[in-house]
Amino acid sequence: MPLAECVPDLYLDRIRPGGRLDRWYLRRDLPLALPQTDTTLTLRELADFTLTVNGRQLTVNVAETIDSLRHTLAPDRRRLAGLTQGDPTEPNIADPLCWLDFEFAGRNTVAGEAANLLWYLMALGGWLVPRYQPDVYARTLRLALPPRSRPRIEHLELHPSSRHIDVRYSWNTGPGRTAAISSALDGLRGENGSGLEEIRAFLALRILGVIPPSRLTGHDFLLVLIKLTESQDPLTTLDTFFSTAPAPHPHPGERSSNVPAPA
């Protein structure tokens, strides 16, 4: 089915010229305050730097990525599609069990739905939404507990003279999300061990198009940009992109303020 015949709000409306991605990323040169330094770079300046991220060479170029997405997600390009709920995320699961998004339900691409679910499990649900859109969970979930784990930049070293940045990060998720990611990947993984190619463009659009970058801290914005760049690297597989580290166990004396003490 041509992408133009699918529900437009999740993808085509966001990627079109003048749409959300243009407004958020291209109309002005966004600043990025590099964590663990006193330096702020714009996105255009960052594109002229090379990065070594967890031992891997990357270049972050958001404008180039958006241009590539417009080509890949052309309205007349045919995709495997079906009648789906439209946005498989926690706030859209009702009790008794019913998966439905009244805004986005309808004809949607299978690859887009997979990208939505995986990025929500990986980043949005346990990190970005509760941190930057807490009203979503407060409005839709009966028990909106604060996240106990999140991705972290462990080390960053800037080399201005060589225009290079060394970054080491860890991506921590809770055990429930880790198990859900593993189960979802089992269904997507191809015979050659990688099924990322099918969802690559939809994943990038999801990474860029949900939380306004102007609201993110420099630390969180850089992590988002790193995952965006990893998602578009042809050498990235499903397993490497969605690799997570176990969340650290809280100290026995620690207790969430949302959980009552034992009687």
Side-chain angles (χ1 to χ4, degrees):
M1 175 182 294
L3 193 59
E5 295 183 17
C6 296
V7 176
D9 305 64
L10 284 173
Y11 300 107
L12 283 186
D13 282 357
R14 300 185 189 194
I15 196 64
R16 64 176 174 80
R20 178 179 291 187
L21 295 197
D22 276 13
R23 296 195 306 271
W24 285 4
Y25 294 94
L26 301 183
R27 286 188 178 174
R28 67 186 183 95
D29 199 7
L30 287 173
L32 168 65
L34 293 177
Q36 304 177 20
T37 76
D38 296 324
T39 300
T40 296
L41 299 175
T42 68
L43 288 188
R44 291 173 190 164
E45 290 172 333
L46 182 64
D48 291 330
F49 278 70
T50 57
L51 283 74
T52 300
V53 180
N54 289 357
R56 184 177 180 184
Q57 297 292 317
L58 298 173
T59 301
V60 178
N61 191 322
V62 176
E64 187 176 277
T65 298
I66 291 175
D67 184 65
S68 176
L69 292 178
R70 287 208 175 105
H71 174 75
T72 304
L73 298 176
D76 59 349
R77 188 164 182 176
R78 301 186 70 84
R79 303 274 180 176
L80 180 63
L83 292 175
T84 74
Q85 81 154 62
D87 191 10
T89 56
E90 288 147 89
N92 295 328
I93 305 174
D95 182 20
L97 184 60
C98 176
W99 291 56
L100 182 63
D101 185 308
F102 290 97
E103 184 177 3
F104 300 126
R107 292 177 177 174
N108 287 288
T109 66
V110 174
E113 293 289 81
N116 280 10
L117 176 61
L118 282 166
W119 185 242
Y120 207 90
L121 291 170
M122 184 76 170
L124 289 174
W127 172 40
L128 293 172
V129 169
R131 181 171 174 83
Y132 295 101
Q133 296 179 338
D135 58 302
V136 172
Y137 277 3
R139 186 179 69 249
T140 58
L141 300 184
R142 291 183 177 179
L143 186 61
L145 297 177
R148 301 301 299 269
S149 59
R150 63 180 179 85
R152 296 181 186 277
I153 291 178
E154 309 288 354
H155 172 78
L156 186 145
E157 188 172 354
L158 175 66
H159 307 277
S161 60
S162 58
R163 305 184 76 79
H164 185 78
I165 305 171
D166 287 307
V167 182
R168 186 177 70 253
Y169 76 87
S170 60
W171 202 278
N172 299 313
T173 61
R177 293 183 186 280
T178 299
I181 290 170
S182 178
S183 178
L185 292 181
D186 286 342
L188 286 173
R189 195 175 288 112
E191 293 181 0
N192 62 352
S194 173
L196 188 62
E197 185 60 37
E198 297 178 6
I199 68 171
R200 195 183 302 277
F202 294 99
L203 183 59
L205 188 50
R206 199 64 179 165
I207 292 171
L208 290 174
V210 178
I211 307 292
S214 59
R215 298 179 59 185
L216 301 178
T217 65
H219 173 279
D220 293 352
F221 193 16
L222 181 57
L223 280 170
V224 167
L225 293 174
I226 286 172
K227 295 307 284 186
L228 169 72
T229 306
E230 289 179 349
S231 76
Q232 301 307 291
D233 188 332
L235 298 179
T236 302
T237 67
L238 280 173
D239 291 319
T240 56
F241 183 85
F242 290 104
S243 176
T244 63
H249 291 288
H251 186 275
E254 295 180 7
R255 183 181 296 113
S256 169
S257 59
N258 297 71
V259 180

